[in-house]
Amino acid sequence: MRRTSIALCGRRMYETMRFCDSPEREIAAEEVERDFAHAWRETPKIVFSTTLQEVGPNARLVKEHAEAVARSLKADTDGEISVSGAELAGHLARAGLIDEYRLYMHPIVLGGGKPYFQSGLSLALKPLGTERLAQGVTLLRYAPIEID
């Protein structure tokens, strides 16, 4: 998160991550969680939602034109831009705006949720590497390959 210059978030993911905005929650958190929460608060965020009326600190609400906003940010931003949220990521992937996919594999099995890759989205990916992180998490990095 510290390498992220700006974070683009869909509504559901933003609402899920809002707990990081509350310093009181850090009291019982582990060091890695506190570090992530600090980085989250420091990183500017753009939240794409047609239903939210407001967003929290260091965030801006955008109700439309996700592709145009992302294109503009990509051209004007130095550093990494993260994208969070299955629908937003799928939309930007179809527009060819994602340069790297980072899949964080957590040692937890869930029985539901939104698919990471939406149906109808077909990607050819080449591996860029893996990295072992804290708490048994493995980061898998991939880049899209253009299909002729």
Side-chain angles (χ1 to χ4, degrees):
M1 192 70 197
R2 291 216 180 277
R3 293 186 307 230
T4 302
S5 295
I6 190 161
L8 309 183
C9 304
R11 178 189 58 85
R12 287 184 193 100
M13 184 59 75
Y14 177 73
E15 288 178 329
T16 299
M17 297 304 298
R18 283 295 311 270
F19 75 92
C20 290
D21 286 337
S22 175
E24 301 82 48
R25 295 203 43 142
E26 292 184 26
I27 295 169
E30 293 182 26
E31 183 178 348
V32 68
E33 294 164 336
R34 284 192 300 273
D35 187 48
F36 181 87
H38 285 287
W40 166 266
R41 286 194 300 271
E42 293 170 359
T43 302
K45 290 162 280 299
I46 295 181
V47 182
F48 294 91
S49 172
T50 57
T51 57
L52 287 177
Q53 297 304 311
E54 61 183 29
V55 291
N58 208 12
R60 177 170 59 106
L61 180 62
V62 174
K63 296 205 173 259
E64 54 189 23
H65 308 298
E67 184 179 328
V69 170
R71 270 189 207 289
S72 176
L73 287 168
K74 192 171 178 178
D76 298 339
T77 301
D78 290 327
E80 295 182 9
I81 300 171
S82 72
V83 177
S84 301
E87 289 181 29
L88 178 61
H91 184 73
L92 298 181
R94 282 185 190 84
L97 292 170
I98 297 181
D99 298 324
E100 183 177 320
Y101 292 88
R102 293 180 181 170
L103 308 176
Y104 294 87
M105 305 302 291
H106 293 259
I108 299 170
V109 177
L110 302 174
K114 265 194 192 260
Y116 186 83
F117 296 105
Q118 296 180 331
S119 63
L121 178 61
S122 181
L123 297 169
L125 301 172
K126 69 177 178 181
L128 297 176
T130 62
E131 183 180 343
R132 292 196 187 278
L133 306 174
Q135 299 169 324
V137 175
T138 301
L139 166 60
L140 306 171
R141 296 177 47 238
Y142 295 90
I145 301 171
E146 287 194 36
I147 302 173
D148 296 327

